[in-house]
Amino acid sequence: MSLIARLQHPTEDAAWDEFNGIYRPLIVRVARMRGLQYADAEDLSQDVLTAVRKSIERFDPHAAGSFRGWLRTITRNLVINHLTRFKGPVGSGDSKVLEMLQQIPACDEPTATLFDMELRRVRFRAAAEELKTEFKDPIWLSFWLTTVEGHSIADVAQQLDKSPGSVRTARCRVLARLRDKVRQFEE
């Protein structure tokens, strides 16, 4: 059962813990990149998680739009609310001008890009953390050192006392499992 489906059951505390572990750091990083201070970003992440918890029952995973897009919209809207809430009046003397300005949708592209980038990073970290224990150290290190740290296959093979072919094979095995795991997170 997918994480989203598990979240839609009110008694699934483990699902909420998992959701919190994956998405709260992402929301905090996006909020920080949009200019919020750390404490405000933490508060905002709680607001986002509360909003998700209140509305997750109504989210239809089969309807148009992805969960990622839905979560990104909630985060974006709450960041905008937070950033505009403490600004005070805009000095035109006319509250209708402020109201009109607030009706203009902000460009979503930077937030969407940040959100998607952070989401990919969070999914990779979560998948890597879960999969690391499935592999013996030389296999995991073959992947990590060549793919994440960018060392050459020849250097890693020498360091691990393996052939370059076994390093390539090990790296491919881990990458295949990582793709499967990340795909599970996306469902």
Side-chain angles (χ1 to χ4, degrees):
M1 182 184 297
S2 75
L3 177 60
I4 296 166
R6 291 177 26 228
L7 291 174
Q8 292 178 320
H9 295 279
T11 59
E12 279 284 346
D13 289 337
W16 283 106
D17 289 344
E18 184 179 342
F19 182 80
N20 186 51
I22 293 171
Y23 291 101
R24 193 187 55 71
L26 179 153
I27 295 164
V28 168
R29 278 197 297 279
V30 168
R32 294 275 295 141
M33 290 179 192
R34 297 297 293 172
L36 272 66
Q37 297 200 4
Y38 183 77
D40 293 335
E42 282 286 336
D43 289 346
L44 181 108
S45 73
Q46 291 302 316
D47 293 344
V48 170
L49 295 175
T50 300
V52 169
R53 193 166 200 140
K54 285 181 181 174
S55 1
I56 192 70
E57 289 177 13
R58 294 188 306 267
F59 179 78
D60 181 3
H62 305 293
S66 65
F67 179 76
R68 178 181 64 196
W70 183 66
L71 182 61
R72 184 177 56 220
T73 299
I74 292 171
T75 303
R76 175 189 159 266
N77 290 343
L78 288 175
V79 166
I80 289 170
N81 287 347
H82 186 86
L83 290 173
T84 58
R85 184 175 32 191
F86 300 110
K87 295 286 183 192
V90 174
S92 70
D94 185 357
S95 63
K96 289 186 179 182
V97 173
L98 175 61
E99 190 175 304
M100 182 185 74
L101 288 173
Q102 290 176 336
Q103 298 296 320
I104 299 171
C107 177
D108 191 32
E109 191 59 35
T111 301
T113 302
L114 275 175
F115 192 91
D116 290 345
M117 183 179 69
E118 285 301 316
L119 182 58
R120 282 194 301 270
R121 189 176 304 171
V122 164
R123 286 178 175 159
F124 170 79
R125 283 189 193 140
E129 189 65 32
E130 281 188 37
L131 293 179
K132 186 177 180 181
T133 59
E134 287 185 19
F135 296 98
K136 293 180 179 172
D137 285 345
I139 294 172
W140 183 259
L141 285 172
S142 293
F143 157 74
W144 193 263
L145 293 173
T146 58
T147 306
V148 176
E149 294 188 11
H151 297 283
S152 73
I153 287 177
D155 288 346
V156 173
Q158 185 177 13
Q159 180 183 345
L160 298 176
D161 196 25
K162 301 284 182 187
S163 71
S166 69
V167 170
R168 277 190 201 92
T169 301
R171 181 174 71 174
C172 288
R173 283 183 53 202
V174 175
L175 279 171
R177 284 288 296 133
L178 268 172
R179 284 188 195 106
D180 289 343
K181 195 63 162 174
V182 168
R183 213 172 289 128
Q184 288 174 2
F185 289 145
E186 292 172 350
E187 293 174 354

